[in-house]
């Protein structure tokens, strides 16, 4: 699907402009403390001319045939671009934790790591993460590694999404 840069794109957002829009696809998840799973997902990145994007993601568990089973994770936040190539990500999750991420963007790839994680008293303890988003043949591929509930940083979810 063709993609056009918005006329009001802030110059600092140039390295992440390819993320703008709605993406839908599927992914996989695993972690030592849970059963492996498959999910569908929608990501939305919007922009209003200032040096940040608003981000929203929702996911749902699917069965082996790709059929909806139940709603799953939701997260929302802001991908800030304080200067070209530098990103800060403020992210809140429906399951009770928030993160601050720092990273870099260049040549269709964004890599970030957590600088801090806070969680409510009823949430599972998440202590660190790393994320990578990449534009591969026009698709959005990503990987999310997580350290949580006493486990070391390791792969948790990964997916491939297409521009909607």
């Amino acid at each position: 699907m063709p993609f056009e840069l918005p006329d009001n794109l802030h110059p600092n957002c140039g390295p992440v402009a390819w993320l703008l829009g709605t993406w839908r696809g599927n992914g996989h998840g695993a972690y030592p403390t849970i059963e492996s799973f498959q999910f569908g997902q929608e990501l939305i990145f919007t922009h209003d001319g200032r040096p940040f994007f608003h981000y929203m993601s929702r996911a749902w568990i699917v069965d082996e045939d790709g059929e909806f089973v139940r709603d799953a994770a939701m997260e929302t936040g802001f991908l800030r671009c304080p200067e070209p190539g530098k990103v800060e990500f403020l992210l809140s999750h429906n399951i009770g934790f928030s993160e601050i991420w720092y990273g870099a963007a260049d040549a269709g790839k964004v890599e970030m790591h957590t600088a801090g994680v806070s969680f409510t008293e009823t949430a599972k303890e998440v202590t660190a993460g790393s994320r990578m988003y990449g534009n591969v043949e026009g698709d959005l591929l990503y990987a999310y590694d997580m350290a949580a509930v006493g486990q070391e940083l390791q792969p948790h979810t990964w997916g491939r999404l297409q521009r909607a």
Side-chain angles (χ1 to χ4, degrees), residues 53-72:
F53 294 170
H54 178 252
Y55 164 82
M56 198 282 287
S57 169
R58 65 183 188 93
W60 51 93
I61 302 298
V62 297
D63 62 20
E64 56 278 346
D65 297 320
E67 297 296 320
F68 176 88
V69 174
R70 65 176 171 81
D71 288 315

Side-chain angles (χ1 to χ4, degrees), residues 37-113:
F37 58 97
Q38 296 181 53
F39 60 93
Q41 186 172 26
E42 178 181 68
L43 302 181
I44 302 171
F45 289 90
T46 63
H47 177 260
D48 68 4
R50 293 180 282 175
F52 64 85
F53 294 170
H54 178 252
Y55 164 82
M56 198 282 287
S57 169
R58 65 183 188 93
W60 51 93
I61 302 298
V62 297
D63 62 20
E64 56 278 346
D65 297 320
E67 297 296 320
F68 176 88
V69 174
R70 65 176 171 81
D71 288 315
M74 292 180 72
E75 53 188 32
T76 190
F78 297 93
L79 181 64
R80 296 167 30 97
C81 303
E83 60 187 64
K86 182 178 180 180
V87 293
E88 302 170 345
F89 202 21
L90 308 161
L91 195 56
S92 291
H93 301 259
N94 66 313
I95 55 175
F97 69 98
S98 294
E99 302 157 303
I100 296 175
W101 299 76
Y102 293 122
D106 185 41
K109 183 166 86 171
V110 180
E111 291 187 89
M112 299 178 285
H113 63 278

Side-chain angles (χ1 to χ4, degrees), residues 31 33 41 136:
Y31 211 67
T33 59
Q41 186 172 26
V136 179

